[in-house]
Amino acid sequence: MTTWVFLRGLTREARHWGDFPQRFRAEFGGELAAGDILMPDLPGNGRRCREPSPIQVAEIMEACRRQLREQGRAPPYHLLGLSLGGMVAVAWAVRYPEECRAAVLISTSLRSYSSIFERLRPNAWLIVLRLLFAVGAARERAILELTSARASDLSDVLADWTAWAQECPVSRRNGLNQLLAAACFAAVEKPAVPLLILAGAADRMVHPRCSQRLARAWGAQFALHPSAGHDLPLDDGDWVAREVRAWLAGTGA
């Protein structure tokens, strides 16, 4: 049995994966059941919004790892992480390679390989800081416009995102802690597991060069979507699923 662990990014929760898990399973045919994809919330987000967010990626990773073990879902896992979730996946694969069969890193970056203005593009800095003080539908709309290259086509998700934010609000402090954890994360050691790195050419938040440079440094397979933004699973989840399946078929992972 293959168990996948999907790890979301800054201030996002499991529900923000939308229909991507279903699209992912569909690409794999009958190989994956609903219970084969686990989507733990990072501390401070979603159902864990009352918990403090650690200021170190390694601590976020350990919290997710404990959560899965408490649920009786033992490793090994295939990891798929988006943005901050990708950093959590790297920390996991470096610290516990025996628990990870493979890792897919989407729209992520590491301080060791990219500059601060590549990891968060200059035009995105002010937007992200404003988001820490914004609330409600305006905040969720701004996040969608920052992370998706198809925001005008995806306005239907805003009602759900706004409702989730009201139900499970991420505190300003937790948002700042997650931003700090992402900004400070630096891993120079290549994980000893097969790696696939994906990015979108229209990412307005993180320069796709971050993913390209990381893939080159680590000798990992890399694919660039020609038109998608930061949230690749939202913009084109079918493309992500196809890339992952083709990569796995080639690596035997």
Side-chain angles (χ1 to χ4, degrees), residues 9-245:
L10 188 72
T11 76
R12 303 288 85 182
E13 59 165 277
R15 289 178 289 187
H16 286 102
W17 287 111
D19 66 356
F20 175 63
Q22 292 94 314
R23 292 177 180 274
F24 193 84
R25 283 196 298 270
E27 179 63 32
F28 281 80
E31 297 176 32
L32 293 176
D36 293 336
I37 298 178
L38 310 177
M39 297 177 287
D41 286 327
L42 307 188
N45 299 347
R47 304 301 176 184
R48 307 181 70 179
C49 65
R50 303 302 179 190
E51 300 178 30
S53 294
I55 59 173
Q56 293 185 350
V57 168
E59 293 182 20
I60 298 175
M61 177 271 292
E62 293 289 0
C64 292
R65 183 169 172 265
R66 285 194 301 271
Q67 181 181 344
L68 295 184
R69 288 185 174 274
E70 289 168 359
Q71 294 172 352
R73 303 305 299 265
Y77 311 116
H78 285 65
L79 305 178
L80 184 146
L82 169 63
S83 197
L84 174 58
M87 301 176 208
V88 174
V90 169
W92 202 327
V94 168
R95 179 67 181 85
Y96 303 105
E98 72 281 2
E99 296 184 359
C100 307
R101 286 182 172 164
V104 180
L105 313 178
I106 303 174
S107 304
T108 198
S109 65
L110 301 181
R111 183 163 60 92
S112 319
Y113 298 98
S114 301
S115 72
I116 189 172
F117 291 111
E118 290 175 320
R119 301 190 66 208
L120 189 59
R121 304 183 79 157
N123 291 340
W125 271 99
L126 185 57
I127 297 173
V128 170
L129 292 175
R130 284 176 175 171
L131 287 174
L132 294 172
F133 297 91
V135 295
R139 178 178 184 271
E140 297 304 317
R141 183 177 295 106
I143 292 174
L144 179 63
E145 291 174 351
L146 178 62
T147 59
S148 172
R150 300 177 52 235
S152 59
D153 300 327
L154 297 170
S155 57
D156 56 315
V157 307
L158 285 175
D160 285 338
W161 286 17
T162 302
W164 300 338
Q166 292 172 342
E167 181 184 350
C168 300
V170 178
S171 71
R172 188 174 303 150
R173 183 181 185 86
N174 277 342
L176 282 168
N177 283 357
Q178 292 172 38
L179 187 61
L180 180 62
C184 294
F185 183 61
V188 295
E189 180 182 349
K190 175 186 175 182
V193 303
L195 293 172
L196 171 65
I197 301 178
L198 305 176
D203 191 335
R204 297 177 57 213
M205 187 171 178
V206 177
H207 200 295
R209 188 182 300 132
C210 297
S211 292
Q212 292 173 312
R213 190 175 293 127
L214 185 60
R216 186 164 57 248
W218 284 354
Q221 184 166 323
F222 173 74
L224 180 69
H225 191 290
S227 61
H230 186 72
D231 195 336
L232 265 170
L234 176 65
D235 278 0
D236 196 345
D238 291 335
W239 180 87
V240 174
R242 287 195 301 271
E243 289 293 327
V244 172
R245 183 175 175 83

